[in-house]
C-alpha cells in the first residue's frame, strides 16, 4: 500500500540536508542504538545544552516478495512464504536539548504489511503477464497498517539516585499532525478463467489518503491529529553494565477527520484488456466509497537494551518489540581513539549486517543483507549530528 520507494526518497532528502549541515560544521550525535530503536529520554540527566539533527530509515522484507505488489516488471526471483512481511520506518528531525529537556520536531512514518503466499503469487503472475493456471483458486489476504506525520516532542529526564543508585527515568510527550494514511485489508478469492483472464471477488476495508488499490477520482485527503508518549528507564548496574528500557508510542492515536474510506466488494464483473490481450485490474466497486472519521491506533513499541563494556569494546544485545513481535539486534562498539569509534551490528530477523563510524559529534551507520541490489531484502540508514 504505501510505496517503499517514497521511504528512500525521503531518506535521501534527509541525507542531503544532513550533508549540508555537516559541511558547515554545525551539528550531531546519536541517541538511537539501531534503526528501529527510539530516543530514551532517561539519558537527559545532565546540564548539557546543544542542538542536534538526525535521520534514520529502515525497510525490510522477509521474502523479497512484496515488491511485486508495487513493481510493474519485478526483477529477480520471487521467494514466497506463508507470511510475506514488509516492515519499514523513517524519522527525520531536529531540535535542542537544554538542562535535562529536549525540544524536537520530526517527520516520521511507519508501515507494516503482511500478505499470504497466494496473494503475492497472483500479483507476480499478473505483473509479469505470465500464463495463468486456469481453474486454480487462490485465496487473497493482504493487510497493511501505516502512516506518516509531523510531530512536536518535549522530553525530560531525571536522576533517581536517591531512590536507587544508578537509576534514571524520562518521559516524552508528543503531538502528531497526520500527513498520510494507509490502513486496511483485502480478502477474497481469485480464479483464472483463461491464460490471460481471471475472475475475482474481493472484500475491501480501507482508509487512506490516496487510493493505491484502485483508481478513485477527486479524492481529498483528510486531516489527522494525534498524540503519544514515551517512558524510558536507564539503569547503570555498575561501571561496566547498563540496562535500558523504553516504551514508545504509549496510548498512541491519530484521529483522522473526513479521510477517504472504502468498504465494499470488488468484483471482475467489468473487464478490460490491454494491447497484448491481457486482462487489466478494473474492479467494479459495490459498497460504500466516501469519507469518514477514523481513529488509528499507533502500535506500541518496547526497546530493551543491555550494554556490557570491557576496555575499548562495548557489546549491546537488544530486542525491539512492535506490539508483541520481536526484532533482535546485536551490536559491538569499539572506541578507537578519544574522537573515533566504530560499530558493527547484526539483525537476527532478517540476517542483516550494519557498519558504522562515529567521529567527534557525527555518526553514520548503514545496514543491508547483501551488496547485490537484486538480492537486497534489508536496507537501513542512520545519520546523526550535534553541537554542544
Amino acid at each position: 500500500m504505501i510505496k517503499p520507494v517514497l521511504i528512500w526518497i525521503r531518506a535521501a532528502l534527509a541525507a542531503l540536508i544532513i550533508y549540508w549541515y555537516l559541511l558547515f560544521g554545525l551539528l550531531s550525535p546519536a541517541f538511537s542504538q539501531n534503526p528501529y530503536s527510539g530516543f530514551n529520554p532517561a539519558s537527559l540527566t545532565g546540564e548539557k545544552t546543544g542542538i542536534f539533527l538526525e535521520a534514520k530509515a529502515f525497510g525490510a522484507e522477509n521474502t523479497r516478495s512484496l515488491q511485486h505488489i508495487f513493481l510493474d516488471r519485478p526483477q529477480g526471483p520471487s521467494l514466497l512464504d506463508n507470511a510475506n512481511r514488509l516492515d519499514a520506518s523513517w524519522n527525520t528531525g531536529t531540535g535542542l536539548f537544554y538542562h535535562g529537556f529536549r525540544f524536537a520536531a520530526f517527520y516520521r512514518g511507519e508501515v507494516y504489511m503482511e500478505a499470504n503466499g497466494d496473494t503475492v503469487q497472483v500479483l507476480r503472475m499478473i505483473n509479469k503477464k505470465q500464463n495463468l493456471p486456469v481453474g486454480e483458486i487462490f485465496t487473497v489476504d493482504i493487510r497493511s497498517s501505516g502512516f506518516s506525520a509531523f510531530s512536536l516532542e518535549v522530553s525530560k529526564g531525571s536522576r533517581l539516585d536517591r531512590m536507587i543508585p544508578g537509576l534514571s527515568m524520562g518521559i516524552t510527550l508528543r503531538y502528531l499532525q497526520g500527513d498520510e494514511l494507509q490502513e486496511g485489508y483485502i480478502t477474497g478469492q481469485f480464479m483464472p478463467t483463461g491464460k490471460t483472464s481471471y475472475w475475482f471477488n474481493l472484500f475491501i476495508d480501507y482508509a487512506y489518503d490516496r487510493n493505491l488499490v484502485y483508481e478513485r477520482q477527486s479524492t481529498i485527503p483528510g486531516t489527522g491529529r494525534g498524540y503519544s508518549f514515551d517512558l524510558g528507564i536507564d539503569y547503570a548496574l555498575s561501571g561496566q553494565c547498563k540496562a535500558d528500557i523504553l516504551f514508545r508510542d504509549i496510548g498512541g492515536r491519530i484521529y483522522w477527520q473526513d479521510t477517504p474510506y472504502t468498504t465494499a466488494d470488488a468484483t471482475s464483473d467489468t473487464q478490460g484488456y490491454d494491447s497484448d490481450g491481457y486482462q487489466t485490474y478494473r474492479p467494479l466497486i459495490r459498497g460504500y466509497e466516501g469519507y469518514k472519521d477514523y481513529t488509528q491506533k499507533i502500535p506500541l513499541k518496547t526497546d530493551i537494551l543491555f550494554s556490557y563494556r570491557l576496555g575499548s569494546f562495548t557489546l549491546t544485545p537488544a530486542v525491539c518489540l512492535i506490539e508483541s513481535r520481536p526484532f533482535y539486534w546485536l551490536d559491538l562498539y569499539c572506541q578507537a581513539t578519544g574522537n573515533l569509534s566504530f560499530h558493527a551490528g547484526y539483525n537476527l530477523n532478517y540476517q542483516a549486517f550494519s557498519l558504522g563510524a562515529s567521529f567527534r559529534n557525527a555518526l553514520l551507520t548503514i545496514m543491508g543483507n547483501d551488496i547485490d541490489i537484486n538480492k537486497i531484502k534489508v536496507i537501513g540508514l542512520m545519520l546523526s549530528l550535534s553541537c554542544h
Side-chain angles (χ1 to χ4, degrees), residues 195-367:
K195 290 185 177 181
T196 60
S197 60
Y198 46 86
W199 165 92
F200 59 86
N201 189 354
L202 306 173
F203 177 73
I204 299 174
D205 190 274
Y206 181 33
Y208 46 91
D209 64 291
R210 58 192 181 96
N211 197 317
L212 302 178
V213 177
Y214 66 93
E215 185 176 355
R216 176 178 169 181
Q217 300 295 330
S218 303
T219 300
I220 302 174
T223 58
R225 295 179 177 85
Y227 60 87
S228 71
F229 70 95
D230 303 346
L231 176 65
I233 301 171
D234 183 308
Y235 182 41
L237 289 80
S238 67
Q240 295 176 303
C241 302
K242 189 180 76 163
D244 291 86
I245 301 178
L246 174 63
F247 302 97
R248 292 186 282 139
D249 287 322
I250 299 173
R253 299 288 189 276
I254 299 180
Y255 299 95
W256 298 91
Q257 293 183 320
D258 297 322
T259 190
Y261 178 77
T262 298
T263 176
D265 291 316
T267 70
S268 55
D269 293 351
T270 298
Q271 297 180 353
Y273 298 85
D274 61 19
S275 58
D276 298 323
Y278 207 97
Q279 184 174 332
T280 56
Y281 179 70
R282 293 179 181 175
L284 177 64
I285 299 297
R286 294 192 182 97
Y288 176 76
E289 180 187 76
Y291 298 84
K292 68 173 291 187
D293 294 344
Y294 181 78
T295 300
Q296 183 180 30
K297 179 183 176 182
I298 302 174
L300 174 68
K301 295 95 175 165
T302 305
D303 303 336
I304 304 172
L305 298 87
F306 178 81
S307 297
Y308 178 76
R309 181 171 56 84
L310 183 61
S312 299
F313 294 91
T314 302
L315 182 66
T316 304
V319 58
C320 300
L321 300 169
I322 309 297
E323 295 292 4
S324 58
R325 190 157 63 93
F327 290 78
Y328 300 103
W329 308 82
L330 184 63
D331 296 283
L332 179 64
Y333 299 86
C334 175
Q335 190 71 40
T337 67
N339 292 323
L340 179 65
S341 63
F342 297 97
H343 155 256
Y346 183 71
N347 175 259
L348 281 70
N349 304 74
Y350 291 105
Q351 295 82 51
F353 291 91
S354 62
L355 293 173
S358 175
F359 180 71
R360 292 184 178 177
N361 291 330
L363 170 76
L364 170 63
T365 298
I366 58 175
M367 184 176 191

Side-chain angles (χ1 to χ4, degrees), residues 7-8 11-12 34-36 55-61 87-90 329 343 347 350 352-356 364-370 376-383:
I7 299 172
W8 310 123
N34 58 63
Y36 239 37
K56 59 181 179 178
F58 175 83
E61 289 187 42
D87 298 296
S89 67
W90 59 98
W329 308 82
H343 155 256
N347 175 259
Y350 291 105
F353 291 91
S354 62
L355 293 173
L364 170 63
T365 298
I366 58 175
M367 184 176 191
N369 70 300
D370 204 295
I376 285 181
K377 295 191 295 184
V378 179
I379 187 169
L381 169 71
M382 286 200 305
L383 291 163

Side-chain angles (χ1 to χ4, degrees), residues 31 39-46 97 99-102 155-158:
F31 300 111
F39 164 72
N40 192 337
S43 64
L44 295 169
T45 55
F97 39 93
H99 294 275
F101 285 90
R102 187 182 86 151
S155 302
K156 177 67 173 74
S158 300

Side-chain angles (χ1 to χ4, degrees), residues 137-215:
I137 298 176
F138 295 86
T139 300
V140 175
D141 192 325
I142 180 170
R143 300 169 186 273
S144 178
S145 175
F147 74 91
S148 62
F150 297 94
S151 72
L152 297 175
E153 303 180 1
V154 179
S155 302
K156 177 67 173 74
S158 300
R159 285 195 178 97
L160 301 178
D161 290 318
R162 293 183 179 180
M163 296 175 54
I164 302 176
L167 180 65
S168 299
M169 294 187 67
I171 189 170
T172 295
L173 304 178
R174 180 180 297 108
Y175 167 78
L176 295 166
Q177 181 71 47
D179 182 39
E180 296 176 320
L181 167 67
Q182 293 287 317
E183 181 120 348
Y185 62 89
I186 303 173
T187 60
Q189 290 186 322
F190 173 99
M191 183 181 73
T193 56
K195 290 185 177 181
T196 60
S197 60
Y198 46 86
W199 165 92
F200 59 86
N201 189 354
L202 306 173
F203 177 73
I204 299 174
D205 190 274
Y206 181 33
Y208 46 91
D209 64 291
R210 58 192 181 96
N211 197 317
L212 302 178
V213 177
Y214 66 93
E215 185 176 355

Side-chain angles (χ1 to χ4, degrees), residues 14 18 52-56 91-95 104-107:
I18 288 179
F52 73 91
L53 180 69
E54 65 179 31
K56 59 181 179 178
N91 200 350
T92 304
T94 186
F106 285 92
Y107 184 80

